[in-house]
Amino acid sequence: MSVGADYPELREAVRRVCADFPGSYWQALEERQAYPEEFVRALTEGGYLAVLIPETFGGSGLPIRAAAVILEEIHASGCNAGACHAQMYTMGTLLRHGSQAQRDEYLPQIASGALRLQAFGVTEPTTGSDTTKLRTTAVRDGDDYIVNGQKVWTSRARYSDLMILLARTTPVDQVERKTDGLSVFLVDMRKVLGNGLEIRPLRAMVNHNTTETFFDDMRIPASSLIGEEGKGFRYILDGMNAERILVAAESQGDGRWFTEKSTAYARERVVFGRPIGQNQGVQFPIARGHVQLLAAELMLQKACALYDAGQPCGAEANMAKLLNSEAAWAAGEACLQTHGGFGYAVEYDVERKWREARLYQIAPISTNLILAFVGQHMLEMPRSY
């Protein structure tokens, strides 16, 4: 199946929404380091951020492939879903492991847009990708948990009502496996902001409205716990696999945007009496990026199929993220090089998309860690770290 062939009606509908948010809109946001409130509202009102929520809770009940298509088209249209994509990938943890009471209370409000679930509190400044060593703790105290610690890269926390939070409930030196003793909580940030929770903006290379979050004796009800205490690492993997799949889809969209921009400019730009696209030095990098995108799309579709079937998909999700992020970067490099000095100019949007595409080789997991996973778990070589 070729890129852009499945869910054609959904793709067209997303493109219509994105048409109202041209490059000038995103450029203005970057100047102010502002949140794309109007864009997120349009996606919410269209039901696009609730596609994974079952119909019984007010969503569409569509598979993750549909969510991937939505994000791909957003990025292929020149927009950016970084302001809202977490609402999709955090659904894996809540939908699959949340209690009936949690789903009844929160999912209808998330689906309607009354509440936003955008913050994902996992990464910490001292432990990074070594999730099992995280230092944020949650200690049971009667009918509550008391949380202390710090998270970083908790994007959109200032524009979210709810957070999926991973914390250690049993010290790492008291568990058999280091993945034990971690628990997941659904935190209502409206109730603790300024009362145990502090959010600080964190300026970054791209306008992702990212933050640091600090927990100082933050008291949350025990009913915030998702699933069983100490089993959180397994639960969070559903969210992480979904995150990798959906980020891969965004990279696929970025790559398509770059290739469309490159080819159009290469056909139109005339230097030394001929279109620059006639020169192999310009044409070949664009073509190679396109080939890489088509190949990466196949792994993305496989990862989606496995996830939706409830099958193990960690390897495929990681490989889809690696392949699509690298394909998007190849297409982005070709696009910037093709545009030359004009690619450096803000008004062409190339430099903005170029910066945005580069992020996905280090986030939400770095390319090197994916290679380490493949080497150890798929190729059965010694653990490298």
Side-chain angles (χ1 to χ4, degrees):
M1 183 179 291
S2 63
V3 172
D6 59 341
Y7 290 97
E9 296 87 0
L10 183 57
R11 290 179 184 274
E12 179 56 33
V14 173
R15 285 194 287 266
R16 286 197 299 269
V17 172
C18 292
D20 292 332
F21 300 93
S24 57
Y25 172 78
W26 300 96
Q27 293 162 19
L29 288 175
E30 280 216 314
E31 289 180 6
R32 309 192 313 272
Q33 288 291 300
Y35 184 76
E37 188 68 47
E38 303 84 357
F39 179 66
V40 175
R41 186 182 305 118
L43 291 176
T44 301
E45 292 174 353
Y48 300 110
L49 300 185
V51 292
L52 297 179
I53 297 175
E55 292 182 73
T56 53
F57 297 109
S60 303
L62 293 177
I64 200 170
R65 178 58 188 162
V69 161
I70 290 169
L71 297 182
E72 178 189 333
E73 289 302 329
I74 288 172
H75 282 245
S77 298
C79 299
N80 188 281
C84 50
H85 60 189
Q87 190 144 304
M88 292 182 174
Y89 60 70
T90 52
M91 283 295 106
T93 301
L94 180 57
L95 285 176
R96 296 189 176 191
H97 307 289
S99 67
Q100 189 64 46
Q102 288 170 332
R103 288 181 286 175
D104 287 341
E105 179 178 359
Y106 292 111
L107 289 180
Q109 296 185 76
I110 294 170
S112 70
L115 289 179
R116 285 180 180 163
L117 173 57
Q118 292 289 358
F120 200 39
V122 177
T123 306
E124 297 186 358
T126 57
T127 56
S129 297
D130 193 0
T131 304
T132 60
K133 299 289 181 60
L134 61 80
R135 298 180 181 181
T136 297
T137 60
V139 178
R140 185 69 181 257
D141 181 36
D143 294 331
D144 297 326
Y145 281 92
I146 299 176
V147 181
N148 284 282
Q150 178 185 358
K151 299 292 180 179
V152 71
W153 308 121
T154 46
S155 299
R156 305 156 301 271
R158 290 187 298 164
Y159 302 95
S160 182
D161 302 301
L162 306 172
M163 172 193 288
I164 296 288
L165 174 68
L166 185 65
R168 183 160 286 285
T169 45
T170 304
V172 69
D173 59 0
Q174 296 179 22
V175 295
E176 289 186 18
R177 298 175 301 176
K178 62 182 181 178
T179 54
D180 293 338
L182 294 168
S183 300
V184 178
F185 301 89
L186 181 60
V187 178
D188 189 334
M189 295 194 295
R190 298 170 301 170
K191 299 178 179 179
V192 292
L193 185 60
N195 185 27
L197 170 64
E198 180 185 359
I199 303 174
R200 298 179 189 172
L202 186 61
R203 289 289 296 271
M205 186 174 73
V206 294
N207 184 31
H208 269 210
N209 295 279
T210 194
T211 69
E212 294 179 280
T213 48
F214 299 84
F215 313 103
D216 183 11
D217 288 336
M218 183 180 76
R219 186 175 290 271
I220 57 176
S223 59
S224 303
L225 178 69
I226 292 180
E228 295 181 52
E229 183 180 292
K231 305 293 185 182
F233 186 78
R234 179 167 59 87
Y235 303 153
I236 211 77
L237 287 180
D238 278 329
M240 288 181 171
N241 286 336
E243 181 182 42
R244 284 144 176 67
I245 289 170
L246 295 176
V247 163
E250 292 179 354
S251 290
Q252 180 71 204
D254 286 335
R256 287 175 49 202
W257 187 90
F258 284 128
T259 300
E260 182 180 337
K261 284 286 184 180
S262 296
T263 53
Y265 191 76
R267 287 190 294 264
E268 297 166 1
R269 175 68 165 161
V270 176
V271 180
F272 299 119
R274 54 193 278 161
I276 61 173
Q278 190 173 344
N279 302 314
Q280 293 179 349
V282 173
Q283 185 181 116
F284 284 7
I286 299 172
R288 181 173 289 277
H290 180 62
V291 171
Q292 289 179 246
L293 280 168
L294 291 175
E297 166 71 0
L298 296 176
M299 182 58 73
L300 173 57
Q301 290 193 7
K302 181 178 181 180
C304 288
L306 289 171
Y307 186 94
D308 286 326
Q311 299 295 314
C313 64
E316 289 78 11
N318 276 293
M319 290 188 293
K321 187 266 181 188
L322 182 150
L323 292 171
N324 280 275
S325 65
E326 290 190 342
W329 183 243
E333 283 281 88
C335 187
L336 185 60
Q337 198 69 21
T338 298
H339 281 75
F342 289 113
Y344 189 67
V346 170
E347 66 178 290
Y348 278 73
D349 288 310
V350 174
E351 62 84 31
R352 171 177 63 85
K353 293 288 284 185
W354 183 80
R355 285 184 283 113
E356 292 171 354
R358 183 60 180 86
L359 171 65
Y360 288 153
Q361 288 190 61
I362 59 172
I365 185 173
S366 76
T367 297
N368 285 341
L369 278 177
I370 293 176
L371 293 174
F373 176 92
V374 171
Q376 179 188 347
H377 295 286
M378 299 185 71
L379 302 178
E380 299 181 347
M381 291 188 283
R383 184 183 180 91
S384 63
Y385 62 92

